[in-house]
Amino acid sequence: MKNTKKIFALLLIAGVLSSGAFAAKKAKTQKVKVGVCGANNDQWKAVQYVLDKENSGIKIELVEFSAYNLPNEALNSGDIDLNAFQHKAYLNNDAGKNGYDLTVIGDTLIAPLTLYSKKYKSLDEIKKAAGKNGSKTVKSDALKFAIPSDGTNLSRGIKLLEAAGLIKVDPAAGYIPELKDITELVYNVEVVPQTANTLPQTLNDYAGATINGTYAIPTGLIPSKDGLIIEKQSESGDNPYVNIIVARTKDKDNDVYKKIVKAYQSQVVAEYILSRFEESFFPSFAYKTVSADKAAETVKAVDKAIKW
């Protein structure tokens, strides 16, 4: 009987210790709320996959917002821990306007604008067909190029046509030029703003159009195959249209948040973005080029392991 009591006591102690260890382990798990917008956020499954592989104890909880003006307000007020839905130009404008004390802690991806044409196969063909202009005045026989009409993307469209060598823009306008900042039509072209989501359907009506991957890809356009020039995908942080992870400034050195940024800027996440979003998005951090099959295997492994 005494031995039975001893065994029971030992089992009880072991149970208590085990329970205590479990509680301690559970207590180490930290949930981090990340504010996002839209439907294209599956890359965060890959981030969680990497964090789990590292036994980080960090659990990402995505908090979806219906409008772009909400996640920065929620982050600034402490309702969420981080957000990842915007590019740098948007943050600068929104934080400046509303007095938010927020800081970029990592680059994520870019949804590049691409110049497409159904009528011309290269920029050289366009320049030859348009002919030189050299003034600021649009001529009656100018080749027309459509760009998105909304504020930020209008500026991106102008900058892309400038990068193509078709126009010149006042350097003082920086990354946010307007039509009035076009200082010279180098070639005989006309820039026409149009609602972004209608550009693929009206591409045949223009000599070319600058279209975001969000609208181009679903219509069968592939940037690397069909694009004449693609917006620069900078890794150096000087592109204001690179999307970002943002924290409250007082938390910018938080070690947990640094681990999340590191996990995001990993090879696994790069492969997931490249394969899952089929050129709509590109990683804005260093990664190794892999085959389409290898990237597809990564997507399969992540989707199997992480069920959100």
Side-chain angles (χ1 to χ4, degrees), residues 115-121 126 145 203 206-209 226 228:
L115 174 62
Y116 297 97
S117 176
K118 292 289 189 181
K119 298 179 180 177
Y120 303 101
K121 295 180 179 179
I126 288 174
F145 289 85
L203 181 55
Y206 294 95
D226 302 313
L228 301 183

Side-chain angles (χ1 to χ4, degrees), residues 20-128:
F22 176 75
K25 184 177 181 180
K26 189 174 182 180
K28 291 180 180 177
T29 300
Q30 182 168 348
K31 183 184 292 184
V32 178
K33 294 182 179 180
V34 181
V36 295
C37 281
N40 297 319
N41 295 296
D42 279 356
Q43 70 276 20
W44 281 97
K45 293 166 62 178
V47 178
Q48 186 65 66
Y49 179 85
V50 174
L51 292 171
D52 289 350
K53 287 288 185 182
E54 296 172 345
N55 295 317
S56 67
I58 300 170
K59 293 297 179 186
I60 301 294
E61 179 186 346
L62 294 187
V63 181
E64 297 182 4
F65 291 88
S66 59
Y68 286 141
N69 64 319
L70 299 176
N72 281 336
E73 180 182 359
L75 178 59
N76 193 66
S77 64
D79 291 338
I80 57 177
D81 303 304
L82 301 170
N83 71 41
F85 73 99
Q86 63 195 321
H87 49 54
K88 295 171 184 175
Y90 184 93
L91 173 66
N92 290 337
N93 178 63
D94 199 37
K97 185 172 61 178
N98 295 294
Y100 299 145
D101 192 10
L102 306 177
T103 296
V104 178
I105 61 171
D107 294 346
T108 56
L109 52 82
I110 186 170
L113 210 62
T114 301
L115 174 62
Y116 297 97
S117 176
K118 292 289 189 181
K119 298 179 180 177
Y120 303 101
K121 295 180 179 179
S122 68
L123 290 176
D124 286 341
E125 279 193 14
I126 288 174
K127 292 173 181 177
K128 184 176 180 180

